[in-house]
Amino acid sequence: MKTLNLGILAHVDAGKTSLTERLLHDVGVTDQLGRVDAGSTQTDTLALERQRGITIRSAVVSFVLDDVTVNLIDTPGHPDFIAEVERVLGVLDGAVLVVSAVEGVQPQTRVLMRTLCRLRIPTLIFINKVDRAGADPERVFQAVAEKLTPTVVAMGAVAMPGTRGAHCTTYGPTDLAFTDRLLDLLTGQDDVLLADWVADTSSLPYSRLRAALATRTGRALVQPVYAGSAITGAGVDALIAGITELLPTVQGDADAPVSGTVFAIERGPAGEKIALVRLFAGTIRIRDRVRVGAVDAELVTAVRVVAHGADVMASAVEAGHIARLWGLKHARIGDPVGVPPERAGTDRHFAPPTLETVVVPTRPADRVALHAALIQLAEQDPLINLRQDDRQHEITVSLYGEVQKEVIQATLVDDFGVGVTFRETSTVHVERVCGVGEAVEVIAVAPNPFLATVGLRIAPAPTGAGVTFRLGVELGSMPPAFFTAVEETVRRTLRQGLHGWQVPDCEVTMTHAGYWARQSHSHGTFDKSMSSTAGDFRNLTPLVLMAALARAGTRVHEPVHRFRLEVPGDVLGTLLPALTRLDAVPTDTTGQGASYLVQGEIPAGLVHALERRLPALTRGESVLETEFDCYRPVRGPAPVRTRWDNNPLDRKEYLLAVARRVGGR
Ligand SMILES: Nc1nc2c(ncn2[C@@H]2O[C@H](COP(=O)(O)OP(=O)(O)OP(=O)(O)O)[C@@H](O)[C@H]2O)c(=O)[nH]1
Ligand SMILES: [Mg+2]
C-alpha cells in the first residue's frame, strides 16, 4: 500500500488540531468530532495541552484514503515549540499549511512557508475559519500570494464568508478565470507545456492541466490554495480530494536494507523508551536487531503502528510507514536507523533557542531526581541542551520562551513530582572568531604535561557553516582513535569560547600530530607513563585550542529579533522613546490610515519586556510580531558566562594558563 506522511503546520491557533480532528471525522475514523475547546481531540492528549488548548508535542494519527495510508502529523504552532516542527520536517512527504481567514498570514506562517519551500516539501495551503466573524478569505488569499509564495492558485471560492453559513465551491473546467490561472502558472514553469500551447491552443485540455498541476505540486513548485472551516466542515471535502489528487505518495521498497529516521522519543507508561521512526526502506520486525545512530544491533522488542485512527501492536513495520519501536535503548532524536537515509534527520531549519535559565528544585533534596527528570525531557527535546556546572551543580536549560518554561515546570511537577523554580531568564550569546590563530604543544617539551603533540589552527567560517575539522597532517601519522579524540574534544571545547559562549562557526585544522607508541618494560606490562593514550589527546586539545582561539580573538554576539508593531498613531510619541529604552532600533515607520507600522530590531532578551510593556503604552491596541533575525556584536562590555563543562582546569586558571602560553611565545 502507498503512504503519505502529511504534516499539518501553522501559526499558533490557526486551527491545525481542529482540522486534524475534522479530517479524521470526515474520512470515517471517528464518529464524534473532537473539539480543542472541550479537550476531546485525538492529537492534543497531554493533560497540559487539554488544559491550555494549545498543542505542545507533535502527534501522529492515521487514516486510509482510497488506496493510500495517510499518516497525519499535527504539530504545535507556538514558536516556543518550533523544535517539534523541526523534527518532523525530515519525515514528511507533504504538508498542509493552515492560515486563518481572520488573522491572515502571521509571523510563524512566513517562517514555515520559507522552510517548506527550501526543503521542497509539496504543500497545500488551507485558509481556515471562513465561518468566523471577520473572515476575509479573498484578502487572505492575496496576502498569501504576496507574503508567502507567488506560485499559488485558488482552488475554489467561498460564499457568505464570516458567517456560520459560509460554504465553499470548487472550481472546475468551466471556470475560465481558474483555467486561465492554471494555464498561466503551469506554462510559465514548463517549456514543453508552453511550446505545445503555442503550437496549438487546444492541445492543453483540462485533464492535462490537472495532471500538470499534480506534477508541479508534487515538486513543490506550485501551492494550491483551499479554503474552509475545520469547525463546520465547509470546504474540507475539497481539501481531502486535493490531498489524494495532488500530493505525491510513496511506496518504499520493503525488501531493501532498512533505512529510517528517529524523529521523536516518548516514554511509555512504565517509563520505557519509545522511538518514533519513519521507515524509508526495508522492513523491521519484532526481535530484529537494527543499527541506530552509532549503536549497532539494538533489539526491537515491540512495534506499534498507527493504523486507521488507532495505535495498534504489529509484528513488523514496512517502508513508507511510521512506527513506535520499543527496545532501542540508545536512540536519540535525529538518529538514522540502518542505512542513513538521504534526508538527514538532524538538519537545522530554524533558529536555535536564544534564552537560557537555571532550574532550581524547590526542595534541595530533589536535585538528583531533577537531573534524572531533565535528562528524560532532554531526550524528547534535545534543544533544551541540558548542562550542569561542575562546581555549584546548577542545572541550566536552553529555551525558546516563557511558555516553554511554564510547560517544563508543569511537566516536572505532574510527571516527575519535582517542583522547580527558575532563575531569571538570560540570553544565549555566541562568540564569532575574529582572525586566524595557531598553537602547538609538543610531546615531552615543557610545559606540556601530556604524552601527545597537538597543533591546531582556527579560522573564522561564515554564519551557519558550523564547525569543520580538517587534517593538515597525514591521516596515517597517528592511530585513528587519537584523531577522533582530538576532533571530539575540539567540538566539545568550542561549546564555550573565550567568554564562555559557544563558538558555532569556524574551521579548525590539525597542523601537528604526534604520539609515543605503546611501550612495555622488559617484564612486558604496558607502561602508561611511556605510551600515549586518547586521554592525553583529550586533555591537551582544550589547552591548544584555547591558545589558538585567544590568538585569533573572538567577539561576543547577541541574538536579535526583527519586530513588526502596529499601533494607533497617537501613541507614537510615547512609544518611540520607550522602544529606545528597550534597546530596540526602529528602522522603518509608516502610516497606515489611523495606525502606524513600526519595524525594526530588538535584542532577543528584551522581547518579553516589550510584550509586557506594550498594553500600557498602546492602550492594548497594538499587534506585535517578532522573529529571530541574526546575531549582532554586543555593544559595550561582553557578558561572560561561567563554565559548566568538564574542563580539567578552573576557568580563571585556565585562561591564565592560556595567557601565559600566548605571551611566552
Ligand atoms: N470558528 C472557527 N473556529 C476555529 C476553526 N478552527 C479552529 N477554531 C478554533 O480556534 C482555536 C484554535 O484551534 P486549534 O485547532 O487548537 O488551533 P491549533 O492551530 O492546533 O493551535 P496550536 O496547536 O496551539 O498552535 C480553537 O478555539 C478552535 O475551536 C474554524 O474553522 N472556525
Ligand atoms: Mg494544535
Side-chain angles (χ1 to χ4, degrees):
M1 195 179 225
K2 290 182 284 189
T3 49
L4 168 65
N5 291 301
L6 181 64
I8 309 273
L9 278 66
H11 188 92
V12 66
D13 262 1
K16 297 171 290 297
T17 303
S18 305
L19 181 62
T20 303
E21 224 25 69
R22 166 59 67 182
L23 291 169
L24 288 177
H25 178 264
D26 286 10
V27 299
V29 169
T30 52
D31 298 332
Q32 202 138 32
L33 188 69
R35 296 285 303 259
V36 172
D37 311 293
S40 59
T41 65
Q42 300 289 311
T43 50
D44 281 356
T45 49
L46 299 179
L48 215 54
E49 291 180 317
R50 296 192 157 178
Q51 276 159 25
R52 287 176 167 251
I54 61 165
T55 304
I56 294 166
R57 287 260 133 83
S58 296
V60 191
V61 288
S62 174
F63 54 86
V64 176
L65 266 184
D66 298 339
D67 60 342
V68 180
T69 301
V70 182
N71 293 317
L72 203 62
I73 309 181
D74 178 24
T75 63
H78 195 288
D80 281 14
F81 307 113
I82 189 82
E84 286 284 315
V85 183
E86 174 139 36
R87 275 167 224 141
V88 305
L89 284 172
V91 305
L92 297 182
D93 305 311
V96 174
L97 182 70
V98 183
V99 185
S100 162
V102 183
E103 284 82 13
V105 171
Q106 294 171 282
Q108 200 72 349
T109 333
R110 275 191 273 240
V111 173
L112 293 168
M113 189 71 230
R114 268 205 306 270
T115 311
L116 290 168
C117 286
R118 199 170 60 233
L119 296 175
R120 293 272 173 112
I121 296 179
T123 301
L124 306 182
I125 295 172
F126 186 69
I127 300 179
N128 187 33
K129 303 196 186 184
V130 296
D131 61 304
R132 246 189 56 189
D136 189 347
E138 287 271 332
R139 173 181 57 85
V140 173
F141 178 79
Q142 290 308 329
V144 166
E146 279 163 27
K147 297 179 184 169
L148 293 185
T149 161
T151 48
V152 285
V153 51
M155 301 299 288
V158 183
M160 297 166 61
T163 68
R164 247 343 245 190
H167 57 279
C168 308
T169 47
T170 310
Y171 295 139
T174 53
D175 295 294
L176 293 185
F178 173 60
T179 50
D180 278 357
R181 171 66 184 151
L182 281 184
L183 196 63
D184 215 31
L185 190 62
L186 297 169
T187 53
Q189 291 189 354
D190 185 335
D191 289 346
V192 177
L193 221 53
L194 178 64
D196 285 358
W197 185 73
V198 170
D200 174 7
T201 50
S202 66
S203 67
L204 294 186
Y206 184 67
S207 57
R208 192 160 167 214
L209 283 180
R210 256 346 255 220
L213 177 64
T215 313
R216 296 271 134 186
T217 307
R219 288 201 216 143
L221 296 170
V222 170
Q223 291 77 30
V225 181
Y226 293 83
S229 163
I231 297 294
T232 67
V236 174
D237 48 350
L239 176 68
I240 293 175
I243 291 171
T244 332
E245 182 198 347
L246 301 175
L247 291 179
T249 54
V250 288
Q251 189 150 36
D253 182 355
D255 298 324
V258 165
S259 177
T261 303
V262 177
F263 68 94
I265 299 284
E266 295 175 350
R267 289 270 162 186
E272 75 279 15
K273 192 171 189 172
I274 308 165
L276 268 92
V277 172
R278 155 89 202 252
L279 201 56
F280 293 97
T283 302
I284 298 178
R285 296 177 189 80
I286 296 181
R287 315 233 41 94
D288 275 358
R289 287 192 178 271
V290 290
R291 185 179 180 82
V292 183
V295 182
D296 220 357
E298 290 254 80
L299 180 68
V300 177
T301 55
V303 177
R304 286 184 89 95
V305 291
V306 270
H308 212 59
D311 178 357
V312 292
M313 290 304 266
S315 55
V317 51
E318 284 189 359
H321 289 273
I322 284 174
R324 285 187 167 78
L325 301 184
W326 273 253
L328 310 184
K329 290 197 193 69
H330 299 94
R332 290 173 315 176
I333 287 176
D335 273 351
V337 179
V339 183
E342 269 170 40
R343 283 200 263 173
T346 48
D347 285 359
R348 230 342 132 60
H349 309 298
F350 303 113
T354 54
L355 302 172
E356 65 180 7
T357 185
V358 172
V359 193
V360 186
T362 327
R363 290 186 304 263
D366 277 348
R367 216 184 55 221
V368 174
L370 170 64
H371 196 237
L374 282 170
I375 285 177
Q376 276 200 25
L377 291 189
E379 266 177 2
Q380 294 167 17
D381 182 0
L383 289 187
I384 69 174
N385 191 15
L386 180 69
R387 57 230 179 248
Q388 179 161 349
D389 105 73
D390 283 347
R391 269 165 300 151
Q392 274 127 35
H393 302 288
E394 285 187 330
I395 304 175
T396 304
V397 290
S398 299
L399 295 169
Y400 277 101
E402 297 299 316
V403 175
Q404 187 189 7
K405 191 160 109 177
E406 288 167 27
V407 165
I408 289 177
Q409 188 174 36
T411 310
L412 287 170
V413 173
D414 297 348
D415 296 359
F416 300 93
V418 179
V420 295
T421 53
F422 297 95
R423 296 261 175 74
E424 203 175 330
T425 308
S426 55
T427 310
V428 179
H429 293 63
V430 296
E431 290 181 40
R432 296 219 171 281
V433 180
C434 302
V436 178
E438 286 190 51
V440 58
E441 290 289 346
V442 179
I443 198 162
V445 175
N448 178 6
F450 304 110
L451 288 187
T453 295
V454 173
L456 296 169
R457 179 169 61 240
I458 189 161
T463 303
V467 174
T468 39
F469 179 78
R470 291 179 214 285
L471 290 187
V473 292
E474 287 292 318
L475 185 60
S477 59
M478 278 202 317
F482 294 168
F483 284 119
T484 308
V486 173
E487 177 169 0
E488 281 175 5
T489 312
V490 161
R491 293 185 186 282
R492 210 196 63 219
T493 306
L494 288 171
R495 285 158 59 183
Q496 292 209 284
L498 299 176
H499 303 270
W501 304 104
Q502 186 173 12
V503 182
D505 307 301
C506 63
E507 262 182 45
V508 178
T509 309
M510 186 159 190
T511 53
H512 299 74
Y515 73 110
W516 280 355
R518 198 175 166 86
Q519 298 189 37
S520 312
H521 291 294
S522 47
H523 46 78
T525 52
F526 169 57
D527 184 348
K528 218 174 155 195
S529 70
M530 296 164 68
S531 320
S532 302
T533 65
D536 287 308
F537 287 89
R538 286 207 187 89
N539 286 325
L540 181 58
T541 298
L543 292 169
V544 177
L545 185 64
M546 292 303 273
L549 195 60
R551 290 192 176 118
T554 65
R555 187 146 183 213
V556 177
H557 284 56
E558 68 180 339
V560 175
H561 281 222
R562 284 209 66 71
F563 72 84
R564 230 179 145 269
L565 180 57
E566 284 172 39
V567 292
D570 61 318
V571 305
L572 219 50
T574 44
L575 178 74
L576 291 178
L579 285 178
T580 311
R581 280 196 295 280
L582 284 168
D583 219 4
V585 184
T587 49
D588 190 30
T589 306
T590 40
Q592 294 183 327
S595 66
Y596 269 82
L597 175 65
V598 187
Q599 301 188 74
E601 290 181 341
I602 180 167
L606 292 171
V607 170
H608 191 55
L610 175 61
E611 282 166 356
R612 272 199 318 250
R613 294 220 47 210
L614 270 182
L617 285 167
T618 62
R619 303 187 298 271
E621 290 176 38
S622 58
V623 182
L624 173 70
E625 294 177 358
T626 70
E627 186 191 328
F628 172 82
D629 186 37
C630 61
Y631 286 93
R632 75 173 178 209
V634 168
R635 296 193 210 114
V640 172
R641 180 163 66 161
T642 47
R643 295 200 79 79
W644 41 259
D645 66 1
N646 299 323
N647 222 298
L649 298 170
D650 170 74
R651 178 179 167 72
K652 194 166 153 219
E653 277 298 305
Y654 189 78
L655 285 180
L656 278 175
V658 170
R660 276 198 296 275
R661 276 149 207 268
V662 174
R665 290 203 178 184

